[in-house]
Amino acid sequence: MFTQSNNPAAAYRTAGIEAEALGTSPHGLIVMLFNGALLSINLAKAHMVEGKTSAKAESINKAIDIIGSGLRAALNIKEGGELAQNLDDLYEYVVMLLLKANLNNDPAFLDEAYRLLADVGSAWSELGQKQAASHP
């Protein structure tokens, strides 16, 4: 379950995130995925500005992985209908923006990807808060 690392601080953070995930609702896990993707996009932009090409690509790849293996994988297109399909299309578009940002070294693509994910992520957070308030 836990990953091995030569960096104790990184291992501690990873263990903390995994422990948090174990105690989180499915809704909370989706919010964590959004937060992770947004953080990775912010890091990618910082690395891009600093000219750290390898670190930029690594952060972009992490965001793509979170979107593909997390957010998109969590969708149930059959039962979710049009909403699930629209989210899938949006996630695919965001991945395309991230790939363009990496290829063209253009922060505008990162900004758009961040904005789109932040909008959907905040809606998820708001929904979770409303659900928690209605079910104390």
Side-chain angles (χ1 to χ4, degrees):
M1 173 190 295
F2 296 108
T3 57
Q4 290 189 353
S5 173
N6 292 332
N7 181 340
Y12 180 79
R13 281 192 305 275
T14 300
I17 290 168
E18 288 180 12
E20 182 181 346
L22 289 173
T24 302
S25 69
H27 181 88
L29 290 173
I30 298 297
V31 171
M32 287 178 68
L33 289 170
F34 275 107
N35 290 340
L38 293 170
L39 175 63
S40 293
I41 293 170
N42 270 341
L43 287 172
K45 186 173 180 182
H47 295 312
M48 185 182 285
V49 169
E50 295 169 359
K52 297 179 179 177
T53 306
S54 179
K56 172 203 69 170
E58 200 173 297
S59 293
I60 288 174
N61 286 335
K62 184 172 182 175
I64 289 170
D65 189 42
I66 291 169
I67 294 165
S69 299
L71 295 172
R72 285 185 87 184
L75 294 173
N76 184 335
I77 303 294
K78 277 186 188 175
E79 292 181 25
E82 186 179 351
L83 176 60
Q85 185 60 57
N86 289 343
L87 284 170
D88 189 58
D89 292 345
L90 176 69
Y91 297 152
E92 184 177 342
Y93 178 70
V94 169
V95 167
M96 184 188 65
L97 289 171
L98 294 171
L99 291 170
K100 284 182 178 181
N102 196 25
L103 181 65
N104 298 315
N105 214 39
D106 187 344
F109 291 118
L110 292 176
D111 291 339
E112 184 176 357
Y114 185 95
R115 182 187 57 77
L116 291 169
L117 279 184
D119 287 348
V120 177
S122 68
W124 269 98
S125 294
E126 191 175 308
L127 177 64
Q129 291 168 357
K130 286 180 182 178
Q131 285 179 340
S134 66
H135 298 5

